[in-house]
Amino acid sequence: MEEQIEGPAFTRNWLAFKVTRAATPGVAVVHLCGPGRGNMMGLAFWAELPELFGALDADDSVRAVVLAGAGKSFSTGLDVQEVLGSWLGKLGPGAQAQAAQRSELHGIIRGLQDSVTSLASCRKPVIAAVHGWCIGGGVDLISAADVRLASQDARFSIREARLAIVADVGSLQRLRGIIGEGQLRELALTAKDIDAQRAEKIGLVNDVFADQEALMAAALAMAGEMAANSPLAVAGTKMVLNEDREENIARGLRHVALWNSSFLHSEDLIEAVTALGEGRPGVFTGK
């Protein structure tokens, strides 16, 4: 029998991910394992995510993907200081013409959006297995997956409004079709945390399992069921399901990128970053 040559998804030394093959044929397991606390999404994460899912998409030996977090949480979200820190200093008090700086921010936001969209664009079905915290960018990420499962200890939060940011990487666009308008508005406008039981009740996750071990077993079993089907039919089904949805999502992503490149920089945002560093709630003035 000819020896299988591993593709780059399995051989590359990723900084923010660990990629392995499950015992179940055709199933790849991707663990978020970035250097930041709680798998925080830094520069390496955003650069590698589309490259990784592009490699998985191109690998014919992969028929389904399980996406999980290493350590105590799935992901605590965007590393604001690492991703936006250098940009924030360019629009301080006294700054003059800002078109170039705002154009740069627009490019940053569009790049982050494209990274998350790589999950939706991947022809292989993606199952997100969430344990611990899933905050901000973590919710953006799982909203682009095909199926979401959770363990009993999972906690979810669309927390951007608490950080003086309009969520701009896909959760506001994708979750409308997953949890419905009313539930989405409540979570996004309050920036509250919800537990796994509430997430299951509103349809954010399909099922909740007792612990991380049971969660991964269920995710791998489901991925195995998908991998056993015709890969052409599975890919075609995903593409058909995505058709209308992704067109509307793309329009919404363009809108929010323009909005945030115009209005993201504010005294409230500076206060949010400061308060985060000091471990206290932000006090916002709407300026």
Side-chain angles (χ1 to χ4, degrees):
M1 181 180 294
E2 184 176 345
E3 184 179 354
Q4 177 178 305
I5 300 175
E6 291 283 26
F10 299 96
T11 58
R12 178 168 162 179
N13 184 25
W14 305 100
L15 297 176
F17 303 95
K18 179 182 178 181
V19 186
T20 58
R21 290 190 184 276
T24 305
V27 177
V29 181
V30 175
H31 277 96
L32 282 64
C33 59
R37 175 178 52 84
N39 301 322
M40 193 172 283
M41 299 169 168
L43 292 172
F45 171 89
W46 296 106
E48 291 180 349
L49 182 64
E51 297 174 358
L52 170 55
F53 274 86
L56 291 168
D57 181 86
D59 192 329
D60 290 339
S61 70
V62 175
R63 295 190 174 190
V65 180
V66 173
L67 179 65
K72 296 181 179 180
S73 289
F74 181 80
S75 176
T76 53
L78 176 70
D79 188 332
V80 176
Q81 288 287 10
E82 183 169 311
V83 176
L84 295 178
S86 62
W87 174 84
L88 288 172
K90 298 178 181 180
L91 290 177
Q96 301 301 312
Q98 300 176 342
Q101 292 90 332
R102 294 187 186 280
S103 293
E104 178 186 349
L105 175 60
H106 183 262
I108 292 172
I109 294 169
R110 292 294 285 165
L112 302 183
Q113 292 174 344
D114 289 345
S115 291
V116 169
T117 297
S118 67
L119 268 74
S121 300
C122 179
R123 291 172 297 170
K124 317 300 170 66
V126 180
I127 300 169
V130 182
H131 75 288
W133 282 105
C134 182
I135 300 173
V139 178
D140 290 310
L141 187 63
I142 67 169
S143 71
D146 297 284
V147 178
R148 288 149 296 280
L149 306 175
S151 59
Q152 194 80 14
D153 68 341
R155 299 292 182 272
F156 303 84
S157 181
I158 305 174
R159 194 171 288 186
E160 283 85 348
R162 204 187 302 180
L163 300 175
I165 297 173
V166 176
D168 57 7
V169 192
S171 58
L172 299 186
Q173 291 74 29
R174 291 189 168 93
L175 288 182
R176 180 178 287 115
I178 296 171
I179 65 175
E181 189 80 23
Q183 301 288 354
L184 173 57
R185 287 177 184 258
E186 178 187 344
L187 297 186
L189 296 173
T190 63
K192 64 170 61 174
D193 305 335
I194 63 169
D195 60 20
Q197 287 68 37
R198 174 73 189 279
E200 182 182 24
K201 181 180 179 181
I202 66 177
L204 179 57
V205 301
N206 288 20
D207 288 294
V208 175
F209 300 90
D211 52 32
Q212 189 178 359
E213 182 178 358
L215 166 67
M216 288 302 295
L220 291 169
M222 182 182 292
E225 290 180 299
M226 294 176 178
N229 291 327
S230 161
L232 289 174
V234 169
T237 299
K238 179 169 179 174
M239 291 175 66
V240 170
L241 288 170
N242 280 355
E243 183 65 25
D244 289 339
R245 186 190 75 162
E246 289 302 313
E247 289 181 5
N248 290 330
I249 287 169
R251 185 165 55 249
L253 291 174
R254 290 193 297 270
H255 183 184
V256 74
L258 288 170
W259 174 274
N260 269 357
S261 60
S262 298
F263 299 113
L264 178 63
H265 192 272
S266 64
E267 292 182 16
D268 280 354
L269 177 59
I270 295 171
E271 161 63 9
V273 174
T274 302
L276 190 64
E278 296 175 355
R280 60 173 176 81
V283 179
F284 302 120
T285 61
K287 297 181 180 178

